[in-house]
Amino acid sequence: MSDATADAAGDDQEPKKKSSKMPLIIGLVLAVLGGGGGFYAASSGLLPFGGAHEAAAEDGHGAPADGHGTGAPLEPLGNVAFLELPTLVASLGSVNDMHHLRFQANLEVDKTYLADVELLQPRILDVLNSYLRALEPRDIESPGALIKLRSQMLRRIQLVAGEGRVRDLLVAEFVLN
């Protein structure tokens, strides 16, 4: 082998540069710092969600003051009453494509207004029947439909019964046949 061929072969075997790991290390450090900063911001209350709101709503024993984390004082349970409404069956859709909705619910009322709400029960049933009868089957079949329908029915009941008398509508049965 001559010197010229040895030099040519040596040129092909130059040592390759190793790629730098510095960008990877910098990226990892920035990710850790960003995650830590985000956790701090959420838990300290700088963001509208996170642990600070739950911590502020806790009483001295580590439990939420109202059971819902809002910080409002608990009302005694003796002030709550439930009025069971009779089962309603409403026909939905056209005559050719008839469906029936079976609906049963309870009203959560302030105990002081229980007699008033019982007296207004025929009007409440009329409002519920009218509302349910106006629905189409497609209105009920979507995934979030029950939440929307429940809020609509509760609002109508509150208008009939008067503000502050009916606290909530508790759906016990909601079946489309």
Side-chain angles (χ1 to χ4, degrees):
M1 201 166 171
S2 70
D3 289 335
T5 52
D7 288 341
D11 289 342
D12 291 341
Q13 296 177 353
E14 284 184 25
K16 292 184 179 179
K17 276 187 157 181
K18 286 189 172 181
S19 62
S20 175
K21 299 215 186 240
M22 193 55 115
L24 178 65
I25 293 170
I26 290 173
L28 185 62
V29 168
L30 288 176
V32 168
L33 288 175
F39 175 77
Y40 172 76
S43 64
S44 68
L46 295 175
L47 297 176
F49 53 86
H53 297 289
E54 287 91 14
E58 290 181 358
D59 64 9
H61 303 292
D66 67 347
H68 300 294
T70 60
L74 285 174
E75 290 186 33
L77 288 179
N79 200 25
V80 175
F82 295 95
L83 176 62
E84 185 174 338
L85 297 176
T87 302
L88 300 174
V89 178
S91 56
L92 307 177
S94 65
V95 176
N96 297 335
D97 188 33
M98 187 63 70
H99 294 282
H100 291 90
L101 174 66
R102 184 176 166 92
F103 176 79
Q104 203 279 319
N106 295 299
L107 298 178
E108 181 180 332
V109 299
D110 197 313
K111 209 175 224 181
T112 56
Y113 299 119
L114 181 60
D116 295 341
V117 175
E118 283 178 342
L119 184 66
L120 293 171
Q121 189 171 347
R123 286 183 183 257
I124 292 169
L125 293 174
D126 178 60
V127 166
L128 290 175
N129 264 321
S130 299
Y131 178 74
L132 293 173
R133 181 70 176 104
L135 295 175
E136 295 288 327
R138 69 175 181 273
D139 297 332
I140 296 172
E141 293 169 350
S142 67
L146 184 57
I147 296 168
K148 179 184 171 193
L149 297 173
R150 183 176 168 258
S151 66
Q152 292 287 328
M153 288 185 282
L154 177 60
R155 182 65 189 140
R156 285 168 170 74
I157 292 168
Q158 288 173 335
L159 288 173
V160 168
E163 285 297 319
R165 291 190 172 146
V166 177
R167 293 180 181 176
D168 205 358
L169 174 69
L170 306 163
V171 178
E173 187 176 7
F174 195 84
V175 179
L176 181 63
N177 294 332

